[in-house]
């Protein structure tokens, strides 16, 4: 029996029984201190991150009878979805473009599943493929040790009562699956410390219920900013949305099809620029001139802009109607905060009860991965763009960094599993 392939009849609930453990001081020592620590050698791939991308890789590997181990800093799978998203969230794209490898969504799910339905799907996915994860495990540093030909991951595990246990994992293959949205982006703006009301990132926002009858400034006009503003409206708050940059707003559906699906279909025969012109024409007919509402469009078309910068167009789910009616008011960039409100760059000042930062997320890879050839120190993304950003050197892989959502992550998950399988067969020979 291959010593790192799981027997078909065996289900493993405790990852520690998959590998030998060593406390010896001969070879595996702490990367920084040189002191011997509890060292766990895992003979298969280790995946950092238990979000949808990490789960997809684990399932693809499992289909090839390769057992992996997921390390997750939170206490659950898909922590971004479970702990840091607002209640009304739905998948922005139709479910057929968001399903993970080897398991479609249930047929009875709606075209755009809710947050709760997507989490239920991920739970079923984990159960279906018996995916193993160790929770509350934070990677402090990961570095390739050329002397032994393995990756070494220095860990800090929460053990309750404020205690941490430090130890180390050693593996041949390392899959970085922490993704594009690992850390909230909280910009510093002049006077923020003076403002007496609450300032929260959308990762802490759940619903507009606690903002009823309040004047709320939403900083950011991406999909999250638009939906939070709409949710505030639905809870009888008074939202004001800061639009700092140009933005493409498209109908979620065109001509009876999803805008995304229609775009992908048209791209089979037409150039990206031609499809962009079509999308903007239909959007103008369906939504009107958004510039009149303070929502200027970028010079580049939506698909070209997404391809070059990763900036996603906003899919309208009702927010634009509220802007047209005046229930959501558009404001320019913030100049500075005051005790009770904000001064804008156009010179006007207004008072607000609360501020919600819809300012997005960023990769945290540079904080812990000690590698600079494959990943960029600047933004924490692979230096090579999709479709060539999934494989680095020395058994290092990346998934969930394509700027193409779950569909891009699924494609890379297959590539990673196939490559690891080939490498395993080569070492076996």
């Amino acid at each position: 029996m291959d010593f790192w392939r799981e027997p078909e009849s065996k289900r493993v609930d405790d990852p520690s029984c998959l590998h030998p453990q060593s406390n010896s001081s001969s070879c595996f020592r702490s990367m920084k201190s040189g002191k011997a620590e509890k060292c766990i050698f895992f003979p298969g791939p280790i995946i950092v991150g238990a979000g949808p991308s990490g789960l997809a890789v684990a399932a693809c590997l499992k289909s090839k009878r390769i057992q992996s181990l997921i390390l997750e800093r939170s206490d659950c799978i898909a922590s971004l979805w479970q702990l840091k998203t607002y209640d009304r969230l739905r998948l922005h794209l139709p479910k057929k473009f968001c399903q993970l490898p080897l398991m479609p969504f249930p047929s009875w799910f709606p075209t755009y599943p809710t947050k709760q339905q997507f989490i239920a799907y991920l739970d079923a996915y984990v159960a279906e493929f018996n995916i193993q994860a160790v929770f509350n495990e934070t990677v402090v540093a990961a570095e390739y040790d050329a002397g032994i030909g393995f990756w070494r991951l220095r860990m800090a595990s929460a053990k309750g009562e404020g205690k941490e246990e430090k130890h180390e994992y050693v593996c041949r293959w390392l899959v970085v699956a922490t993704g594009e949205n690992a850390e909230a982006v909280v910009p510093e703006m002049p006077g923020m410390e003076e403002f007496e009301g609450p300032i929260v990132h959308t990762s802490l926002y759940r619903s507009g219920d606690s903002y009823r009858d309040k004047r709320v400034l939403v900083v950011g006009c991406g999909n999250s900013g638009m939906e939070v503003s709409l949710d505030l409206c639905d809870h009888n708050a008074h939202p004001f949305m800061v639009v700092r940059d140009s933005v493409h707003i498209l109908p979620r559906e065109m001509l009876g099809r999803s805008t995304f699906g229609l775009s992908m279909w048209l791209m089979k025969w037409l150039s990206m620029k031609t499809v962009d012109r079509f999308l903007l024409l239909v959007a103008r007919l369906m939504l009107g001139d958004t510039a009149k509402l303070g929502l200027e469009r970028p010079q580049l078309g939506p698909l070209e802009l997404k391809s070059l910068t990763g900036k996603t167009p906003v899919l309208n789910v009702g927010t634009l109607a509220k802007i047209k009616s005046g229930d959501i008011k558009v404001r320019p960039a913030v100049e500075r905060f005051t005790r009770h409100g904000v001064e804008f760059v156009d010179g006007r000042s207004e008072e607000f009860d609360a501020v919600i930062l819809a300012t997005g997320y960023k990769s945290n890879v540079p904080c812990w991965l000690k590698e600079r050839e494959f990943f960029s120190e600047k933004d924490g993304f692979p230096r090579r763009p999709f479709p060539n950003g999934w494989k680095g050197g020395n058994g290092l892989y990346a998934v969930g960094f394509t700027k193409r959502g779950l569909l891009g992550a699924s494609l890379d998950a297959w590539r990673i599993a196939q490559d690891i399988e080939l490498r395993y067969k080569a070492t076996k020979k």
Side-chain angles (χ1 to χ4, degrees):
M1 181 182 71
D2 297 337
F3 79 102
W4 70 294
R5 293 201 172 202
E6 183 188 23
E8 291 183 354
S9 60
K10 183 180 180 182
R11 295 179 63 86
V12 179
D13 297 315
D14 180 8
S16 66
C17 71
L18 291 172
H19 47 73
Q21 297 187 13
S22 169
N23 290 310
S24 71
S25 59
S26 58
C27 180
F28 305 126
R29 290 181 177 271
S30 168
M31 285 184 284
K32 294 294 183 182
S33 66
K35 295 180 180 179
E37 294 180 343
K38 178 182 177 182
C39 181
I40 304 171
F41 171 70
F42 187 76
I46 285 183
I47 302 167
V48 181
S53 298
L55 301 180
V57 175
C60 291
L61 288 167
K62 201 62 168 292
S63 71
K64 300 176 181 300
R65 298 189 60 226
I66 298 174
Q67 179 66 49
S68 62
L69 178 65
I70 297 179
L71 303 178
E72 167 59 44
R73 65 179 177 176
S74 187
D75 61 357
C76 61
I77 65 164
S79 62
L80 180 67
W81 279 86
Q82 296 210 54
L83 307 177
K84 298 180 181 181
T85 52
Y86 41 92
D87 294 341
R88 71 174 294 135
L89 179 64
R90 287 178 175 265
L91 291 178
H92 291 134
L93 303 181
K95 61 184 180 182
K96 68 178 181 179
F97 298 112
C98 299
Q99 63 192 26
L100 300 185
L102 301 168
M103 184 172 149
F105 280 96
S107 59
W108 60 87
F109 271 27
T111 302
Y112 301 93
T114 66
K115 163 186 171 177
Q116 294 75 19
Q117 288 171 326
F118 184 58
I119 293 170
Y121 166 77
L122 295 178
D123 285 335
Y125 194 80
V126 169
E128 174 69 21
F129 297 102
N130 190 28
I131 295 172
Q132 306 300 326
V134 182
F135 298 107
N136 299 308
E137 288 271 68
T138 300
V139 181
V140 177
E143 187 172 7
Y144 183 71
D145 189 332
I148 59 174
F150 286 87
W151 286 91
R152 299 168 61 162
L153 288 73
R154 186 153 51 89
M155 312 296 299
S157 303
K159 293 300 179 183
E161 299 180 359
K163 296 181 180 179
E164 281 191 350
E165 178 187 271
K166 295 182 179 180
H167 53 280
E168 188 175 79
Y169 283 91
V170 178
C171 63
R172 186 182 298 276
W173 295 283
L174 176 62
V175 182
V176 178
T178 48
E180 305 167 7
N181 303 314
E183 303 289 346
V185 173
V186 180
E188 292 185 6
M189 290 178 273
M192 285 182 75
E193 69 282 354
E194 299 176 20
F195 184 65
E196 294 184 352
I199 301 177
V200 300
H201 190 269
T202 49
S203 58
L204 300 174
Y205 177 91
R206 295 297 170 266
S207 82
D209 190 56
S210 60
Y211 296 93
R212 200 174 298 273
D213 297 322
K214 293 182 179 180
R215 291 169 58 89
V216 184
L217 184 68
V218 179
V219 181
C221 62
N223 280 299
S224 293
M226 290 279 186
E227 289 192 33
V228 166
S229 296
L230 180 61
D231 190 60
L232 288 165
C233 259
D234 291 345
H235 287 86
N236 297 317
H238 307 286
F240 296 71
M241 185 173 61
V242 170
V243 179
R244 297 171 293 174
D245 303 308
S246 55
V247 58
H248 278 302
I249 301 177
L250 302 175
R252 188 169 67 172
E253 295 182 343
M254 292 181 176
L255 308 179
R257 300 180 63 173
S258 76
T259 298
F260 181 81
L262 179 61
S263 300
M264 295 302 100
W265 181 73
L266 290 173
M267 288 277 286
K268 294 179 181 179
W269 294 280
L270 304 174
S271 69
M272 183 181 294
K273 287 183 179 293
T274 301
V275 177
D276 269 341
R277 285 195 290 268
F278 171 80
L279 294 178
L280 292 175
L281 174 63
V282 177
R284 178 68 177 258
L285 293 172
M286 293 181 66
L287 304 177
D289 184 4
T290 59
K292 293 180 179 180
L293 304 173
L295 302 165
E296 297 280 352
R297 290 193 181 275
Q299 292 297 315
L300 296 175
L303 297 181
E304 188 176 7
L305 187 67
K306 173 69 174 175
S307 176
L308 293 175
T309 69
K311 187 175 182 180
T312 303
V314 173
L315 297 176
N316 181 48
V317 293
T319 307
L320 210 58
K322 294 293 185 180
I323 294 175
K324 291 178 179 178
S325 68
D327 292 312
I328 298 173
K329 296 177 173 57
V330 174
R331 293 292 182 263
V334 172
E335 179 70 33
R336 69 181 306 275
F337 282 81
T338 62
R339 286 182 61 191
H340 302 292
V342 161
E343 294 177 4
F344 297 100
V345 293
D346 63 359
R348 82 179 103 178
S349 298
E350 295 186 69
E351 293 187 354
F352 297 101
D353 299 302
V355 176
I356 297 171
L357 301 176
T359 45
Y361 294 84
K362 63 181 180 180
S363 166
N364 68 355
V365 173
C367 298
W368 58 270
L369 183 64
K370 309 305 177 185
E371 189 275 344
R372 295 296 178 261
E373 293 183 9
F374 181 42
F375 277 92
S376 168
E377 294 179 73
K378 183 178 180 180
D379 61 8
F381 279 69
R383 296 183 184 276
R384 296 189 298 274
F386 180 85
N388 302 310
W390 60 275
K391 181 181 178 182
N394 301 317
L396 179 64
Y397 301 91
V399 64
F401 295 90
T402 64
K403 299 181 181 178
R404 284 165 172 77
L406 294 170
L407 182 60
S410 295
L411 293 172
D412 280 353
W414 272 120
R415 294 184 180 110
I416 292 169
Q418 289 166 356
D419 194 71
I420 290 177
E421 182 184 37
L422 289 174
R423 288 175 176 270
Y424 164 73
K425 289 179 179 179
T427 56
K428 186 177 179 181
K429 289 180 181 178

